[in-house]
Amino acid sequence: MRTGTGVVEEVCPNGLAKIQTNRNNLYSPCSDSMCADNVVIDAVNPIGAKKGQYVQFNIPDAGMGVKGIICFGVPLLLIIVCGVAGYLLGESWQVKPEMTAFAGMIAGGIIGCLVLKGYEKKINNNQTKAEITGIISLESAVFGVKMRRIMVTV
C-alpha cells in the first residue's frame, strides 16, 4: 500500500473525492513521466473530508502486476501482431508490405487503446481506488513542507 498526501479539490455525491497531489505520491510510471507536477486522482472518502482540506490517502497495491502487463504489454503485443499481419497481407495483396505493416501497426495501437478503455471501465470500482485515511492539520502540513525544504537545501 502506497501512502500520499494532497488537497481535496472536490467532494462528489457518490462518496468519492478528487484529490490534487504531487506525482511523486503515485507509482513510478506515473511519477517519472514528463507531465505536470500535480495530478488529480479519485479517492474513496469514508471520513467525510471537505474541499480544501489537506488529507492523507492510501493507494492499494492489489493487482499492480496484472494491471502493468495489461497497460503496457497488451497494446505493444497488439501493435506487433497487427504489424506482422499487415505485412503478410500486403504481400498477398500485391501491395508494398511496408505500407500495410505500418497500417496494421496503427490499427493495433487503436485496438490496444480500446482494450485499455474497456479494462479501465471493468475495474473502475471503489476497491481499486485510493482511500482517504486521515485529515492532516494545517500546522503539521506547513511544518512538513518546511522540514522537506530544509532537508533538500542542506
Side-chain angles (χ1 to χ4, degrees):
M1 180 126 347
R2 187 155 190 143
T3 302
T5 56
V7 177
V8 177
E9 289 279 314
E10 178 185 348
V11 178
C12 302
N14 59 355
L16 296 176
K18 295 189 181 296
I19 301 173
Q20 183 177 12
T21 185
N22 190 298
R23 286 185 307 154
N24 296 329
N25 290 323
L26 305 176
Y27 287 95
S28 60
C30 300
S31 63
D32 291 342
S33 63
M34 296 177 6
C35 299
D37 287 337
N38 293 321
V39 295
V40 177
I41 62 169
D42 290 337
V44 179
N45 187 8
I47 61 172
K50 294 177 178 44
K51 182 178 180 176
Q53 288 183 317
Y54 192 68
V55 295
Q56 179 177 4
F57 59 89
N58 290 334
I59 301 174
D61 292 337
M64 287 306 291
V66 172
K67 291 174 188 173
I69 290 170
I70 290 175
C71 182
F72 298 111
V74 169
L76 183 61
L77 182 66
L78 284 169
I79 289 171
I80 292 169
V81 167
C82 290
V84 170
Y87 186 86
L88 296 174
L89 285 174
E91 286 181 341
S92 66
W93 291 345
Q94 277 79 35
V95 180
K96 283 189 176 181
E98 294 84 11
M99 296 304 289
T100 54
F102 185 67
M105 292 169 70
I106 291 173
I110 292 170
I111 294 168
C113 289
L114 295 174
V115 167
L116 284 181
K117 272 312 223 185
Y119 180 71
E120 181 183 11
K121 286 181 180 178
K122 181 180 177 184
I123 66 163
N124 196 8
N125 57 36
N126 289 349
Q127 285 76 34
T128 60
K129 289 192 183 337
E131 181 175 349
I132 298 174
T133 56
I135 298 171
I136 301 172
S137 69
L138 186 58
E139 296 83 26
S140 65
V142 171
F143 181 71
V145 169
K146 286 182 181 175
M147 286 302 292
R148 242 182 264 137
R149 286 185 184 152
I150 291 170
M151 287 182 196
V152 171
T153 57
V154 172

